[in-house]
Amino acid sequence: MPILVGSGAAAAIVFASAIGSGPTDGGQPDPGSALLLTARTIGLELKPANIVVLVDESGSISPQDMLREREAATLIANAELSPKSVVSVVGFASSAVGSPAVEMVCPPTILAGAAEREDLARCIGALHKRSRTEGDETDHVAALRQALSVLRSADGVKLVFLLTDGKLDVSDSPEWGDTAQNRNAAARAALIQTLAEAKDHGVQIWPIGFGQVDGPALNELAGGGYQQTCGPTSAPPSPTFVATSADIAAALLRAFASARCADVGAVDSELESGTKQEVRVIIPPGVTNVSIIVDKGGSWVRADFVDPDGRAVPRSGSELSGAYQVSETGESRLVLRISSAAPGTWKVRFTSPAGAPTAKISTTVA
């Protein structure tokens, strides 16, 4: 599976191999269970991006769905590599008397360092399921208009990631008209105009739908915005559909990778009770920035990062092997961002305590 790692014109070929499980008492993992991922060589400069994440807060969202949407939004804030990129997060549902359809949960934030990414993680926590009195339907038009208000005058790459489990429905929103039929018809007409404006202003729309979504409508959203791609071999915006919210983070990461010309590959496996596994990521010379995204599969699993010289990677700071930032995106997901990464074999070590449940673990390189 191809993986592009880092930025700049340097060619990148990365190998990630998962070394099989072994006992936590110091026994050696089984080298025969190694997995291998290879990457193609391309020379693309990672330009700063202006990113807006639109998060569905409608009444059909369950508490678990909302938790997973928050984690996915946080993942984007931590996976983006350019320290000059700007990320905004907007919650949306529908309008009601005294309650707007959209809320700017996280205003535009430059990802200059760990503090800014932590600020985003905190404000993303304010996303919540709307009550009926707050407006609990689904107004994609209002959400996209809010994104355009942020991106219209921005320079460079402009990306919208839309997370939703429903279809456009503003039957009870007074701002759209006097009857349910008139309201939805008015919103539908406004959507066409909004998509045309997005296209004119260079705004790409990447919808991620889960549950009982309107597939043709999400196709229209993706196809209605700006279609120029980030690279000569990359695909234009397209919707991603997953069965449940459990898969939102992975789906959003795939969409993000496509939008940023950063092909993503993952090593997935199971970590049994009282065992350990090691994933190796080989970074060649010339790669500047790398994100290693880890899903531990459970809060009981420990994950440690090790640099090519065998040193444990700190939560933040600088060593000879690079500058680091480690961020948490939920109780079981970690993101290690490495700037000026030293070439060589980097490792992720997973450890499960005795008596713990089996965990599904994953390591993704972007």
Side-chain angles (χ1 to χ4, degrees), residues 193-220:
Q193 296 177 349
T194 303
L195 291 175
E197 185 178 356
K199 185 175 182 179
D200 289 343
H201 286 87
V203 177
Q204 291 189 350
I205 302 169
W206 296 80
I208 293 89
F210 59 97
Q212 301 300 313
V213 293
D214 186 341
L218 294 195
N219 275 300
E220 181 183 18

Side-chain angles (χ1 to χ4, degrees), residues 58-118:
S58 62
S60 57
I61 296 292
S62 71
Q64 188 67 20
D65 292 339
M66 180 53 63
L67 174 62
R68 287 163 173 167
E69 285 189 307
R70 291 192 200 112
E71 290 179 350
T74 305
L75 180 62
I76 287 297
N78 284 288
E80 169 58 35
L81 290 169
S82 173
K84 296 181 181 179
S85 288
V86 180
V87 173
S88 311
V89 180
V90 176
F92 73 93
S94 62
S95 63
V97 176
S99 180
V102 298
E103 178 185 7
M104 180 63 78
V105 175
C106 301
T109 302
I110 300 174
L111 302 179
E116 289 76 14
R117 295 175 193 264
E118 290 170 3

